[in-house]
């Protein structure tokens, strides 16, 4: 399981600080081939490169996301989306984070010179969360009054970035014709990366192995991971695709689309419209009544020039008159829906939250039963903290409350007002499934 290696992250309000922090690395506690940098500061000088940085293999796993969709018959079904994640060792992450901070200075300067800083939203420090950016879009709809809105999604974003085009965009950003030094080292190791699947490690070495803070001992790494004739290290030998999960991935993706962003902004401006992009989510606002039937084909063509494609089935369109929805369905953007009257969290996100809650409770009870823990000793406290307002750490409920406050939309709080009832029903249902009866615990 991915969580066996990585700390739990807030999937609903992801931080982008990793991409643009200063050169001193923050401490990370996940397990990798090297030890966490506890009480250690690594400071890198990118003015020259005496010796290229040597990278350990990335660790990889497949993140599986489940969501409910409405099929052609009008009934709900579960759609499973698999997303490969690759993440770097501690020293490598510190190096890539520091490099991203260095390269980001060039990128921010270029955005200011291009005059497009307000349209590129993700993977930038201090840029706000998806909540703030969704609110900004909805506020613009209100202020325009009469408009047509398009929300589009790039298909397989990170997996499809062309290596040569990425190299040329980075070189253009730096004002050089060829990448050298640290720039070449990072580009080469992010595009031609190697990795080890965590499942392969578990199968070979067992999940209960002694690792002393690592995913495997240094001896096991030499003998079984790197030293085997048919070892566990896999190599990415395609001419496209970069790993998701490294501190430079988001910045690289933004740089890759710098020219595309400029072209889209210019095209929308000619139509008296606006453009914004949050990672792979694109939003375009045009005046109501404009010739908008060709918008999606135009954007598709422009993306194809960058070896990218659009997820046509994820494209949403909505018309607004005096700031109110006049078409059949509200616009969906960054996890929210808007109809001019109300802003709400998407129903599929609520379904995903309830499904994750059920699976988490089920896993907790299964683990307890395997350890011969009686049902009356299975406590709710940890699960309540993870899935309800009682948790002190970030979770879905705290995300929903934050969204309601930032957007000034009490209807969002109303959407999750019954979450304790949902939790108790899920607890009782899983107790019957696993133990054959109700688990009565504090």
């Amino acid at each position: 399981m991915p969580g066996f290696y990585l700390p739990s992250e807030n999937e609903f309000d992801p931080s982008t600080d990793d991409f643009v922090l200063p050169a001193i690395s923050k401490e990370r506690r996940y397990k990798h081939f090297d030890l966490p940098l506890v009480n250690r500061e690594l400071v890198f000088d990118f003015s020259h490169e005496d010796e290229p940085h040597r990278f350990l293999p990335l660790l990889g796993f497949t993140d599986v996301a489940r969501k409910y969709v409405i099929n052609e018959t009008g009934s709900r079904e579960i759609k499973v989306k698999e997303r490969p994640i690759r993440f770097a060792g501690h020293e490598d992450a510190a190096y890539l984070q520091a490099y991203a901070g260095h390269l980001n200075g060039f990128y921010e300067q270029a955005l200011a010179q291009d005059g497009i800083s307000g349209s590129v939203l993700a993977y930038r420090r201090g840029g706000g969360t998806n909540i703030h950016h969704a609110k900004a879009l909805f506020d613009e709809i209100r202020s325009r009054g009469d408009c047509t809105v398009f929300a589009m999604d790039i298909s397989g974003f990170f997996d499809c970035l062309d290596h040569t085009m990425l190299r040329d965009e980075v070189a253009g950003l730096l004002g050089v014709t060829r990448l050298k030094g640290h720039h070449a080292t990072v580009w080469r190791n992010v595009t031609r990366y190697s990795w080890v699947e965590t499942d392969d490690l578990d199968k070979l070495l067992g999940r209960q192995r002694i690792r002393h803070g690592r995913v495997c001992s240094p001896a096991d790494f030499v003998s079984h991971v790197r030293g085997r004739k048919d070892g566990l290290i896999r190599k990415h030998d395609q001419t496209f695709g970069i790993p998701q999960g490294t501190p430079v991935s988001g910045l690289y993706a933004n740089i890759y689309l710098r020219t595309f962003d400029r072209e889209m902004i210019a095209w929308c401006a000619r139509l008296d419209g606006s453009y914004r992009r949050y990672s792979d989510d694109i939003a375009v606002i045009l005046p109501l009544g404009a010739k908008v039937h060709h918008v999606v084909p135009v954007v598709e063509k422009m993306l194809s020039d960058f070896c990218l494609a659009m997820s046509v089935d994820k494209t949403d369109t909505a018309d607004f008159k005096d700031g109110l929805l006049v078409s059949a369905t509200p616009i969906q953007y960054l996890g929210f829906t808007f109809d001019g009257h109300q802003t709400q969290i998407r129903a599929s996100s609520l379904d995903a939250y309830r499904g994750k809650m059920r699976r988490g409770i089920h896993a907790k009870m299964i683990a307890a039963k395997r350890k011969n823990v009686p049902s009356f000793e299975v406590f709710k406290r940890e699960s309540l903290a993870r899935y309800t307002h009682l948790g002190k750490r970030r979770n879905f409920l705290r995300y929903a409350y934050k969204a309601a406050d930032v957007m000034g939309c009490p209807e969002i709080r109303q959407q999750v007002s019954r979450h304790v009832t949902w939790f108790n029903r899920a607890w009782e249902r899983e107790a019957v499934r696993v133990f054959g009866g109700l688990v009565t615990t504090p």
Side-chain angles (χ1 to χ4, degrees):
M1 294 291 291
F4 187 66
Y5 301 94
L6 284 171
S8 59
E9 297 290 346
N10 176 18
E11 64 190 274
F12 304 102
D13 185 14
S15 170
T16 59
D17 284 350
D18 267 0
F19 299 103
V20 290
L21 283 178
I24 298 178
S25 173
K26 73 174 184 179
E27 184 179 316
R28 296 172 171 85
R29 291 285 187 174
Y30 58 78
K31 290 182 179 180
H32 212 284
F33 294 118
D34 60 347
L35 291 171
L37 304 177
V38 179
N39 299 322
R40 293 173 58 196
E41 292 185 353
L42 300 181
V43 181
F44 302 92
D45 180 6
F46 294 102
S47 63
H48 64 282
E49 184 181 58
D50 295 328
E51 183 177 345
H53 181 84
R54 297 186 65 182
F55 286 79
L56 287 168
L58 303 174
L59 272 178
F61 64 89
T62 300
D63 179 51
V64 179
R66 298 174 178 84
K67 67 178 183 179
Y68 289 96
V69 297
I70 305 300
N71 58 27
E72 296 178 354
T73 64
S75 58
R76 294 195 313 173
E77 64 180 28
I78 296 178
K79 184 176 181 180
V80 177
K81 179 180 179 181
E82 295 185 347
R83 184 170 61 114
I85 300 295
R86 315 277 184 256
F87 60 104
H90 296 284
E91 290 199 13
D92 294 342
Y95 172 78
L96 290 173
Q97 178 182 308
Y99 173 77
H102 173 71
L103 185 62
N104 186 70
F106 293 91
Y107 180 64
E108 289 293 334
Q109 183 178 9
L111 288 182
Q113 292 173 347
D114 295 341
I116 64 173
S117 182
S119 297
V120 182
L121 310 178
Y123 312 127
R124 299 177 61 199
R125 193 177 192 183
T129 67
N130 65 306
I131 298 171
H132 297 88
H133 297 309
K135 180 180 185 299
L137 178 77
F138 303 154
D139 287 346
E140 183 179 344
I141 294 172
R142 291 189 182 98
S143 65
R144 281 179 174 262
D146 301 348
C147 58
T148 299
V149 188
F150 295 82
M152 296 165 275
D153 183 85
I154 301 173
S155 176
F157 188 24
F158 289 87
D159 297 334
C160 298
L161 302 187
D162 181 83
H163 295 167
T164 302
M165 296 185 73
L166 174 61
R167 180 198 64 195
D168 293 345
E169 286 287 351
V170 174
L173 180 71
L174 299 171
V176 299
T177 57
R178 180 184 176 190
L179 296 183
K180 299 179 181 179
H182 293 281
H183 300 295
T185 297
V186 173
W187 175 80
R188 183 169 53 252
N189 282 277
V190 172
T191 56
R192 296 285 184 173
Y193 61 91
S194 61
W195 84 98
V196 175
E197 287 289 333
T198 56
D199 284 347
D200 291 345
L201 274 175
D202 293 341
K203 291 175 183 177
L204 180 67
L205 302 176
R207 289 179 62 89
Q208 303 304 319
R209 59 192 181 275
I210 298 175
R211 293 152 297 188
H212 303 294
R214 296 178 170 92
V215 294
C216 68
S217 68
D220 282 338
F221 179 79
V222 172
S223 299
H224 299 291
V225 178
R226 176 162 279 169
R228 288 165 54 91
K229 181 179 180 181
D230 299 320
L232 301 182
I233 296 178
R234 309 186 188 194
K235 294 187 180 297
H236 181 75
D237 55 6
Q238 303 293 323
T239 60
F240 55 87
I242 65 173
Q244 296 188 52
T246 79
V248 77
S249 298
L251 179 58
Y252 260 4
N254 273 348
I255 293 171
Y256 185 88
L257 286 183
R258 180 188 168 202
T259 301
F260 170 81
D261 291 331
R262 291 201 305 263
E263 293 177 354
M264 281 295 302
I265 289 169
W267 180 73
C268 289
R270 290 195 297 270
L271 298 174
D272 192 26
S274 69
Y275 161 86
R276 67 198 75 201
R277 179 178 61 81
Y278 187 94
S279 187
D280 56 355
D281 287 298
I282 295 171
V284 170
I285 301 181
L286 296 176
L288 186 64
K291 295 181 179 179
V292 298
H293 62 278
H294 66 305
V295 170
V296 173
V298 166
V299 177
E300 283 186 299
K301 172 59 173 64
M302 294 173 72
L303 281 173
S304 69
D305 293 339
F306 294 86
C307 303
L308 296 172
M310 184 189 300
S311 297
V312 179
D313 59 331
K314 294 184 179 180
T315 298
D316 286 312
T317 302
D319 295 329
F320 290 84
K321 180 73 173 177
D322 296 327
L324 301 177
L325 182 71
V326 293
S327 52
T329 57
I331 194 67
Q332 297 190 50
Y333 185 61
L334 299 184
F336 298 91
T337 64
F338 177 72
D339 64 3
H341 292 287
Q342 290 188 325
T343 300
Q344 293 187 317
I345 294 174
R346 288 191 312 179
S348 60
S349 296
L350 293 174
D351 287 338
Y353 157 66
R354 287 189 289 260
K356 185 175 182 180
M357 178 194 297
R358 289 193 298 269
R359 292 191 296 273
I361 292 172
H362 179 80
K364 179 181 180 66
M365 292 187 178
I366 288 292
K369 187 174 182 179
R370 286 176 177 171
K371 295 179 181 179
N372 295 319
V373 175
S375 62
F376 58 85
E377 290 186 8
V378 182
F379 296 102
K380 288 184 178 180
R381 190 179 304 113
E382 181 183 354
S383 297
L384 283 168
R386 180 171 296 180
Y387 301 114
T388 76
H389 66 290
L390 298 176
K392 295 182 178 180
R393 297 176 60 184
R394 294 185 302 176
N395 60 19
F396 182 81
L397 261 298
R398 290 191 172 273
Y399 166 79
Y401 291 162
K402 179 180 179 180
D405 294 341
V406 169
M407 293 183 165
C409 298
E411 59 267 26
I412 294 178
R413 282 183 178 264
Q414 185 61 34
Q415 281 185 284
V416 296
S417 61
R418 299 179 63 246
H419 72 276
V420 175
T421 299
W422 299 338
F423 176 89
N424 289 330
R425 287 178 178 174
W427 186 271
E428 293 170 5
R429 186 183 304 113
E430 296 307 322
V432 172
R433 289 181 60 189
V434 175
F435 289 98
L438 181 62
V439 179
T440 56
T441 63

